Amino acid sequence: MEDNRYQLLDGKAVSAQMKKEMAEEVAQIKAAGGKIPHLAAVLVGHDGGSETYVASKVKTCEEIGFKSTLIRYEDDVTEEELLRKVDELNNDADIDGFIVQLPLPKHISEQKIIEAIDYRKDVDGFHPINVGRMSIGLPCFVSATPAGILELLKRYEIETSGKHCVVLGRSNIVGKPMATLMMQKAYPGNCTVTVCHSRSKNLKEMCLSADIIIVALGVPEFLKGDMVKEGAVIVDVGTTRMPSSVTKSGYKLTGDVKFDEVAPKCSYITPVPGGVGPMTIISLMRNTLLAGKKAIYK
Ligand code: GUN
């Protein structure tokens, strides 16, 4: 008999618990007269997704008790002007960490902006120093989505040692760091990792041999039921905004996994929404707390 009882990896519930833990810690810092962690976010233009993410980051800061500052620019801001703001934030002693929301308009080099950020304030973990330190297992800011996924696996005590983990996608923000972390000599980690991407020829075969699949392609409902082994653990990073006449916002978030087909075959699976998304935001908050406490860099 097929056992089709799967368990949801509930990012909404786990992130709520983490939020509570952090709010308590901030209250203690406040009571002891310590410095309240302060996050700044730079938002360029009016991309719907970016607006939503940044609003959610600012709101979560307030709920935890952090200070937050939102800095907005129109699409036509120059690279020079943005670099000046980065420099100002680098030198502002009250700002513990800051992020520049991506994507940026085409006339601005994202890489140049990322490299201009002081790595000690780079709570997104995108600066080459943080990426490099992560890859050799040194203390650093780990980017929020991979960090959130690790925390979710940890809180559900998912076994990872010796497992075959397939990462679909090779982006700098998710795929690459995720693969690095899953092969690290640590828990969660110690996996045999395969990274598949748009040019991979044997992607289905790889997925069928996977114990854990982390899908970060940005292709709605890419992973189908016939690509998944019985009992696999599935983590869906996809959040494509699909037009919808049913929801108030006019769109519906759609994951990279065909949930109805895949879920019955799984042991654990993240829902969309309510899986990786809330874990990403809360992980940024945790990095902000670490930055405020100077826990990683002095
Ligand atoms: N765009 C998509 N994800 C992210 C993120 O984690 N941080 C920033 N700054 N931009 C993003």
Side-chain angles (χ1 to χ4, degrees):
M1 260 290 279
E2 190 180 293
D3 182 3
N4 61 4
R5 287 165 302 171
Y6 60 88
Q7 201 181 334
L8 281 181
L9 294 169
D10 189 342
K12 199 173 160 186
V14 171
S15 67
Q17 175 62 30
M18 289 174 70
K19 193 196 285 184
K20 194 166 148 257
E21 291 164 10
M22 282 192 273
E24 282 164 12
E25 195 172 339
V26 173
Q28 282 168 13
I29 292 171
K30 212 176 273 190
K35 186 185 180 304
I36 305 302
H38 186 177
L39 175 74
V42 179
L43 174 59
V44 179
H46 299 273
D47 172 75
S50 292
E51 292 260 9
T52 309
Y53 296 136
V54 171
S56 183
K57 289 168 186 178
V58 169
K59 180 167 166 262
T60 311
C61 277
E62 279 164 23
E63 289 166 351
I64 294 174
F66 293 164
K67 271 174 83 177
S68 69
T69 300
L70 173 60
I71 301 140
R72 298 199 64 137
Y73 290 100
E74 291 302 322
D75 276 316
D76 60 359
V77 65
T78 64
E79 187 178 274
E80 210 184 357
E81 202 171 343
L82 212 50
L83 286 169
R84 266 202 303 275
K85 178 51 78 176
V86 167
D87 190 52
E88 188 188 312
L89 294 168
N90 283 341
N91 289 299
D92 183 336
D94 197 61
I95 303 283
D96 297 295
F98 66 99
I99 64 156
V100 178
Q101 187 67 28
L102 306 179
L104 293 171
K106 286 205 168 51
H107 65 277
I108 298 171
S109 160
E110 288 186 352
Q111 204 49 43
K112 211 164 167 179
I113 300 295
I114 288 169
E115 290 189 46
I117 297 172
D118 185 331
Y119 68 94
R120 294 166 297 186
K121 294 191 178 189
D122 169 38
V123 284
D124 256 336
F126 292 168
H127 190 284
I129 290 180
N130 281 312
V131 177
R133 289 177 66 93
M134 180 206 59
S135 78
I136 57 175
L138 293 176
C140 63
F141 291 117
V142 176
S143 60
T145 303
I149 293 169
L150 289 190
E151 190 63 35
L152 201 52
L153 297 174
K154 201 191 283 182
R155 298 227 176 188
Y156 280 88
E157 299 176 359
I158 306 283
E159 218 183 290
T160 58
S161 182
K163 303 291 183 188
H164 183 206
C165 175
V166 168
V167 177
L168 300 184
R170 55 175 159 183
S171 69
N172 288 341
I173 295 186
V174 186
K176 276 185 213 161
M178 203 65 241
T180 301
L181 292 163
M182 292 306 281
M183 72 170 114
Q184 246 180 184
K185 201 165 188 165
Y187 176 77
N190 283 315
C191 283
T192 303
V193 177
T194 304
V195 180
C196 295
H197 47 76
S198 53
R199 303 288 175 91
S200 295
K201 293 210 163 88
N202 50 353
L203 192 145
K204 183 175 175 182
E205 188 189 330
M206 285 298 164
C207 288
L208 275 169
S209 91
D211 305 300
I212 301 168
I213 308 179
I214 298 166
V215 203
L217 294 168
V219 179
E221 303 189 326
F222 176 87
L223 192 78
K224 309 286 194 291
D226 65 356
M227 298 164 80
V228 175
K229 179 166 84 174
E230 285 292 333
V233 175
I234 307 292
V235 176
D236 187 349
V237 186
T239 50
T240 306
R241 290 153 65 105
M242 302 287 272
S244 166
S245 55
V246 185
T247 60
K248 206 165 69 180
S249 60
Y251 69 87
K252 179 172 164 279
L253 279 187
T254 306
D256 287 357
V257 175
K258 200 160 173 56
F259 189 91
D260 294 347
E261 279 182 27
V262 173
K265 302 184 83 174
C266 294
S267 53
Y268 295 89
I269 184 168
T270 59
V272 175
V276 174
M279 291 306 297
T280 295
I281 291 183
I282 210 69
S283 298
L284 174 68
M285 298 300 133
R286 179 138 82 186
N287 281 349
T288 302
L289 181 58
L290 292 171
K293 294 197 292 182
K294 305 273 182 280
I296 294 173
Y297 302 116
K298 296 290 164 249

